[in-house]
Amino acid sequence: SFGGLVVVEIYLELRRRAFDGDRRATRALSRLKCLVVAGRAPPSSHSGVGVPLRVPTDDEIKEVYALADDKTMQSEAYQKVALPRLKADMAADARAEARVARRLLVGSSPPEEEAPGDLRVVVVGGLDDPSFPPADATKWRSLAADHFQVRFLPGGHDFLVKRYADILGEVVNQLSPLVTTTTETAAPASKQDEEEDAAAKDDDDSHPPLYGVRWEHVGDVDGPLEEEEEEEEEEESALLKIPTTR
């Protein structure tokens, strides 16, 4: 689902960096043999530049993405913990879809950023998943130069949970023929490659992470939090004065 879209975005970014002459990205692409997108439709024509992000409503999340029974969704834990996290995931998914759409639909990528010829792209979906109609699967075709395969399994979006063994089996089937070949043909890293890797580790800003979190200092926090901290300190002091025996 969202993870499949993240994988696609990372892959497209590697292609861009390789096209710009990044040797580390080029080596990473040479080692990438199979890309699996499960339960995620390609960006629609309504995504991309100048189009407002569309995040699923609470009802849509409940019907399609919650992957929980009615009793669970009515619980306090779901309403206060699970639902806000799901909504945050949906918002992140919408932002990622807009970025991928700019690459795939608008054509912002240079034509030279072609897909590696030996990359296998496998798309897996649920036959009854309203978020990913089978007819849309071929829109992922642009990710692969030659090897492209689509497989749909029984179930809705919950096939990701109920049919995980089939999904894993598909991944194994795709990778098994490549294991021996990759091991035999993989060239060792050159001295220049090792030096570039070491330099990149010393300079974290030379290549920003594909995905990551940057913590920013926003200043001191004033107000109610300070009062709560003072109360906690008073409670801790009181506890320290209580005699204990062992």
Side-chain angles (χ1 to χ4, degrees):
S1 192
F2 177 32
L5 191 63
V6 170
V7 167
V8 170
E9 185 173 14
I10 292 175
Y11 165 62
L12 293 175
E13 177 64 13
L14 283 174
R15 279 170 53 175
R16 185 193 67 78
R17 293 188 184 186
F19 174 72
D20 289 341
D22 186 336
R23 287 170 54 84
R24 299 175 71 207
T26 301
R27 281 161 40 212
L29 280 177
S30 69
R31 296 167 182 167
L32 180 62
K33 300 302 178 184
C34 184
L35 188 68
V36 180
V37 181
R40 185 52 170 90
S44 69
S45 57
H46 303 294
S47 305
V49 179
V51 179
L53 298 179
R54 185 189 180 284
V55 179
T57 65
D58 289 2
D59 289 338
E60 289 174 326
I61 292 175
K62 178 180 178 180
E63 293 175 5
V64 180
Y65 302 102
L67 306 183
D69 56 41
D70 291 338
K71 183 178 180 180
T72 299
M73 288 188 285
Q74 293 171 2
S75 67
E76 182 179 3
Y78 174 84
Q79 295 294 330
K80 291 186 176 181
V81 179
L83 182 58
R85 291 182 179 180
L86 274 172
K87 293 173 74 172
D89 282 350
M90 294 293 100
D93 179 271
R95 293 192 294 271
E97 179 176 13
R99 293 191 298 268
V100 172
R102 285 194 289 270
R103 289 282 182 85
L104 296 180
L105 300 176
V106 181
S108 62
S109 299
E112 292 83 354
E113 290 184 26
E114 296 180 352
D118 60 346
L119 177 67
R120 295 171 180 238
V121 174
V122 180
V123 177
V124 187
L127 285 169
D128 301 316
D129 185 353
S131 71
F132 185 12
D136 289 348
T138 55
K139 295 178 182 179
W140 283 126
R141 183 70 179 79
S142 61
L143 295 177
D146 298 315
H147 308 284
F148 181 74
Q149 181 175 335
V150 175
R151 183 182 180 189
F152 274 80
L153 301 169
H157 201 66
D158 59 355
F159 90 97
L160 292 164
V161 176
K162 296 182 178 180
R163 305 299 294 254
Y164 71 91
D166 295 300
I167 300 173
L168 182 59
E170 188 62 43
V171 174
V172 172
N173 290 337
Q174 294 294 327
L175 293 180
S176 295
L178 303 175
V179 173
T180 303
T181 304
T182 304
T183 303
E184 293 176 352
T185 60
S190 66
K191 185 177 181 180
Q192 182 180 356
D193 291 337
E194 294 175 352
E195 291 175 351
E196 289 179 354
D197 287 345
K201 290 179 181 178
D202 293 336
D203 184 9
D204 291 337
D205 293 328
S206 62
H207 294 289
L210 297 177
Y211 262 83
V213 175
R214 182 186 296 275
W215 294 98
E216 298 286 353
H217 179 65
V218 295
D220 297 328
V221 179
D222 300 323
L225 288 178
E226 290 185 348
E227 298 178 0
E228 293 179 3
E229 291 175 355
E230 291 177 359
E231 292 177 357
E232 291 177 357
E233 290 178 358
E234 292 177 359
E235 292 177 358
E236 291 177 358
S237 298
L239 289 174
L240 292 176
K241 297 176 182 179
I242 298 176
T244 59
T245 56
R246 294 184 179 180

